[in-house]
Amino acid sequence: MRFGLIIPHRHSYLLPSTFTPSSCFCVNFFPQNHNNNLNLPFPGKGKISCCSKSEVLKSDLMEPEAEDLVVNKSRTLYSPIEPYSTRYLKVSDVHTLYFEQSGKPDGHPVVFLHGGPGGGTSPNNRRFFDPEFYRIILFDQRGAGKSTPHACLEENTTWDLVNDIEKLREHLKIPEWQVFGGSWGSTLALAYSQSHPDKVTGLVLRGIFLLRKKEIDWFYEGGAAAIYPDAWEEFRDLIPENERGSLVDAYHKRLDSDDMETQYAAARAWTKWEMTTAYLLPNNDNIQKAEDDKFSLAFARIENHYFVNKGFFPSDSYLLDNVDKIRHIKTTIVQGRYDVCCPMMSAWDLHKTWPEADLKIVDDAGHSANEPGIAAELVAANEKMKALMG
């Protein structure tokens, strides 16, 4: 059987609502003679593909003239859409979650798990999915976005969130669904799927974060400073020298302070550090998010809370140790080679443990899902899931 990706002729991965089969052709997902992808098979079915944001696909395409096709990965996302349903779900005596649905009401369900933790969702998150095929479900995790109470750390753990995902699935009467998550969303997607493997039809993961000590140390204790010394010093210098033995702990003290101005100052610095490093080339709009006190407070407080508590996992390698539970699930991992926030070592470690998963390395990208090459691979991964589901 051959699986293919439907792409509008001589354009991008974008599938406009007006496209017709006659205007498209089929590109093999794993062509035998792909001149620009380095396919290095591991034992099992997974492959590694190294991609740039603009590639020439020269393979066994359906049309001979398509050999000179240039895939423009700067136009990968679907057009903006509005949700057809927005509601709230009370998941505990303390927390109420905002959730929304968009796309096709009777389509294949996919749940989007946002990053942070504490980052919340945004309208752009809907655009990774074909709205004519997918029933797109977004929700804000405890304390984040429109969920209440805002920036609350009480009853806020990884396992609370895993249970929330199940409560949402049951509330919506969905038997099983595809799971999509990046950065912390990839952490949560792995934890959820390992807890409920029979409820997951497929996984699309981006910017792998396994919440191990070496990953936290890399980004918050000085490793990434080798690449961003200017931004690092601003982050570090909020903390007095005598407290710099653990910046995560020092920030925790301030983010949990009784004084709101102390919380806000720490939250702005914490958030600015991450937003500055999230793109291969600095994105000023992203950096400006740190000035939004409501956003930065939830982002920094909840993120730091999870990191101080080591993700609430029983061991440092918990997610890798439990891969056998999900080895059967069709999975694509998309990773920017120059991801500073979640360096590629984690995606590599996950792929070595789980060679059946396909690893897509984007050679000219950092961390953000909105970088052109990463966005393109995420859309392509969802298109591949569509083909696999028939």
Side-chain angles (χ1 to χ4, degrees):
M1 181 179 292
R2 294 178 60 194
F3 295 115
L5 168 61
I6 302 300
I7 302 179
H9 187 51
R10 297 188 181 280
H11 290 289
S12 68
Y13 287 140
L14 176 65
L15 303 185
S17 58
T18 56
F19 89 93
T20 61
S22 62
S23 66
C24 307
F25 55 85
C26 180
V27 179
N28 285 346
F29 282 111
F30 303 115
Q32 297 296 316
N33 301 307
H34 194 314
N35 291 340
N36 290 317
N37 276 4
L38 177 61
N39 292 326
L40 302 174
F42 277 75
K45 298 180 181 179
K47 290 186 180 180
I48 306 168
S49 296
C50 299
C51 317
S52 66
K53 69 180 179 182
S54 181
E55 292 185 304
V56 179
L57 299 183
K58 295 184 178 179
S59 58
D60 51 335
L61 304 176
M62 296 297 290
E63 298 179 4
E65 67 180 37
E67 287 191 347
D68 61 351
L69 170 73
V70 176
V71 178
N72 177 0
K73 293 189 178 181
S74 67
R75 296 180 57 218
T76 60
L77 299 180
Y78 285 91
S79 298
I81 55 173
E82 294 298 318
Y84 62 78
S85 171
T86 59
R87 296 185 181 178
Y88 289 86
L89 177 66
K90 190 166 183 61
V91 291
S92 78
D93 291 339
V94 175
H95 290 276
T96 300
L97 305 186
Y98 165 82
F99 72 94
E100 63 172 59
Q101 299 183 79
S102 57
K104 187 178 180 182
D106 62 347
H108 186 80
V110 58
V111 61
F112 179 97
L113 305 182
H114 67 69
T121 57
S122 69
N124 204 53
N125 301 149
R126 307 168 194 144
R127 299 178 61 195
F128 293 104
F129 311 97
D130 179 357
E132 299 298 321
F133 179 85
Y134 281 109
R135 176 183 177 184
I136 307 160
I137 298 137
L138 274 59
F139 77 98
D140 291 332
Q141 296 159 29
R142 296 189 179 202
K146 298 177 183 177
S147 293
T148 59
H150 182 71
C152 178
L153 306 183
E154 184 182 353
E155 295 182 10
N156 199 336
T157 74
T158 301
W159 306 113
D160 290 320
L161 301 186
V162 166
N163 291 335
D164 289 348
I165 298 170
E166 264 301 272
K167 289 176 183 177
L168 180 59
R169 185 190 63 78
E170 291 171 353
H171 175 75
L172 294 173
K173 296 179 171 58
I174 293 172
E176 56 184 7
W177 52 8
Q178 182 180 322
V179 179
F180 181 108
S183 194
W184 158 255
S186 74
T187 320
L188 185 56
L190 289 167
Y192 171 76
S193 61
Q194 289 173 4
S195 298
H196 302 281
D198 58 324
K199 306 304 181 187
V200 180
T201 61
L203 284 166
V204 176
L205 308 174
R206 186 267 312 168
I208 298 302
F209 181 43
L210 302 175
L211 226 160
R212 296 173 295 177
K213 183 179 185 299
K214 68 179 181 179
E215 296 168 61
I216 301 298
D217 288 349
W218 158 260
F219 194 61
Y220 293 104
E221 303 295 350
I227 300 172
Y228 283 93
D230 45 353
W232 170 257
E233 288 186 8
E234 188 176 350
F235 172 74
R236 180 200 63 192
D237 289 352
L238 183 80
I239 306 301
E241 286 191 30
N242 64 342
E243 292 185 61
R244 292 179 189 170
S246 171
L247 290 174
V248 171
D249 288 340
Y251 266 92
H252 181 70
K253 176 181 175 182
R254 287 154 180 81
L255 290 166
D256 206 33
S257 169
D258 293 332
D259 179 63
M260 286 306 301
E261 286 307 313
T262 299
Q263 285 194 32
Y264 282 130
R268 285 190 291 267
W270 179 283
T271 304
K272 186 176 181 180
W273 164 242
E274 184 158 338
M275 297 301 148
T276 299
T277 56
Y279 282 75
L280 181 63
L281 300 177
N283 182 298
N284 288 329
D285 290 339
N286 203 53
I287 295 169
Q288 285 302 309
K289 290 180 181 179
E291 300 304 314
D292 180 340
D293 282 343
K294 182 177 181 181
F295 171 82
S296 63
L297 187 65
F299 184 81
R301 286 195 86 220
I302 298 172
E303 199 169 71
N304 176 273
H305 164 70
Y306 273 70
F307 298 166
V308 164
N309 288 286
K310 302 177 182 178
F312 303 93
F313 291 123
S315 67
D316 196 54
S317 59
Y318 178 82
L319 295 175
L320 291 177
D321 293 341
N322 285 276
V323 161
D324 279 349
K325 296 177 181 178
I326 56 173
R327 197 173 296 279
H328 64 284
I329 298 174
K330 298 296 184 183
T331 301
T332 297
I333 300 165
V334 178
Q335 179 69 38
R337 183 173 292 280
Y338 298 106
D339 189 333
V340 173
C341 302
C342 298
M344 192 180 134
M345 64 179 176
S346 297
W348 188 248
D349 289 346
L350 180 60
H351 186 67
K352 286 194 297 182
T353 304
W354 191 8
E356 296 86 355
D358 294 322
L359 174 60
K360 304 290 185 180
I361 301 167
V362 184
D363 280 330
D364 54 357
H367 181 67
S368 175
N370 295 317
E371 297 216 38
I374 291 180
E377 291 298 336
L378 291 173
V379 172
N382 286 327
E383 293 299 309
K384 178 183 175 182
M385 289 294 178
K386 284 169 53 179
L388 291 172
M389 289 179 286

